[in-house]
Amino acid sequence: MPSTRSINVSVFLLLAASLTLSAEARQSEGVLIWGSVLEEGTNRPLAGVNVFVPNTMAGTMTDADGTYQFRYRTFSPGIVVAASMIGFDMQTAEAMLDSSNEVHVPFRLAATVYPLGEVSVTASTEEWKRNLSRLEKLLFSTTRNGEDCTFQNPEYLVISFHEDTGVVSATADAPLVIHNNALGYALTIHDFSFTGSDLALRQGGEMQFRELEATSNRQRRRWNDRRLKAYRGSTRHFIGALVSGTVTDAEYEVREVPRPGVVLHGSQYQPSIEITEMTGVGADTTVPLFNLSFKKVLLVMYHGESEPSEYVQYQERINVRGSRWRSTTGDPNAANRPYQASWLTLSGGSIVVDRRGMVYGPLSMERFGYWAWERLGEVVPNDYVPTRKP
């Protein structure tokens, strides 16, 4: 891999075992995913079950016979499919693709058992409404796109609020539907759970995307522009540039620092990153998977966009914007940095990625700074393809 001026990357390419399934066929036609969904214990076919690839727009519902089929464009030899229906426990299944360019994924869903004495919380109390407003700010963030996100069925939420610590904990008794009116997506989160504060959060569940219906060509163009802007400068955009060796062209600058929050400039802080092509995976050498690892903490500066005022206000609210921060702007009177600063750490030592910036397997990457502030309001589906060169 060619080196860039802003990062020194050592790449060790190992010979990948080629599978007979062509990546070109997957891209042009999509993999056929099919199967049936039955009730556990009775083997009764279940109609109206949502079957989908998490974090994408690919999916469908089962018919009266409990069967389904849909296509999904993928470059990975493995695929995760989820099945969800109110009254049943959500189930996910992982399958490997073969030369048939299709995959059979059957499901057996068990009925949900609710604990005796469970109390439902309704939206009629002022306390519940305050908790819901707090959850919205934490889940969607205070970004401009986040401010344009709304719950469509908040009555399904059960929320607890720890007043002494500022922590919000929330679960949903049904798939939670959110409209991102800024990007033009409807998000359904199946088996939703959330625990978080201004400083840290953890979200559980599987997300399913669909496009909202545009009322005009102008609105459609605006959504496309905002989606591209949300994609640029994201972790997926950065990882894709890192693996492809286009970090500088994509307007990133990367440094190795001792801890999150530290900004250091200079060639002596260039990180040591290893990107190793994995063996026995991938359809061919044009779409391999890679093992990405680095030591310490990566400082990632995206120069394609400056910090917005909403991020400045967020940092002031959590008291992290002091005199030391001002020294990193180059101007002691500057209200914001001319770039967006984020920090990455790897709790598991490495992650598996591809050239599109997709991360596979258990999440072991932690984000700090600007990327930690960007939340659901900035998320585009994994099968989003930029309409213009990023």
Side-chain angles (χ1 to χ4, degrees), residues 42-54:
T42 68
N43 289 332
R44 175 174 63 94
L46 294 177
V49 179
N50 275 293
V51 185
F52 61 98
V53 177

Side-chain angles (χ1 to χ4, degrees), residues 369-382:
Y370 196 85
W371 281 336
W373 176 62
E374 289 188 319
R375 298 176 186 175
L376 272 191
E378 312 303 314
V379 174
V380 296
N382 287 351

Side-chain angles (χ1 to χ4, degrees), residues 26 90 128 167 187 198 216 225 237 239 258 301 318 350:
R26 295 183 194 175
M90 184 185 70
W128 189 90
V167 174
L187 289 78
D198 280 323
S216 65
D225 291 342
H237 183 216
I239 291 175
M301 294 170 279
I318 62 175
S350 66

Side-chain angles (χ1 to χ4, degrees), residues 256-305:
E256 183 177 272
V257 295
R259 62 185 181 278
V262 174
V263 176
L264 298 173
H265 296 270
S267 59
Q268 67 270 35
Y269 303 114
Q270 289 189 4
S272 176
I273 299 175
E274 291 187 0
I275 304 174
T276 308
E277 186 174 336
M278 300 180 66
T279 60
V281 295
D284 55 40
T285 57
T286 64
V287 285
L289 298 182
F290 297 88
N291 189 280
L292 169 64
S293 63
F294 56 84
K295 298 178 180 179
K296 295 187 179 180
V297 178
L298 285 190
L299 160 65
V300 182
M301 294 170 279
Y302 177 58
H303 292 278
E305 190 178 351

Side-chain angles (χ1 to χ4, degrees), residues 5 42 96 103 116 151 165 228 236 265 286 302 328 364 372:
R5 69 169 174 83
T42 68
M96 296 297 293
V103 60
L116 294 176
F151 287 118
T165 62
L228 181 61
R236 177 181 159 194
H265 296 270
T286 64
Y302 177 58
T328 68
S364 58

Side-chain angles (χ1 to χ4, degrees), residues 220-237:
R220 187 176 293 106
R221 288 192 298 270
R222 183 164 61 247
W223 282 346
N224 287 336
D225 291 342
R226 290 176 178 174
R227 291 170 186 176
L228 181 61
K229 185 177 180 180
Y231 169 77
R232 290 175 171 174
S234 66
T235 52
R236 177 181 159 194
H237 183 216

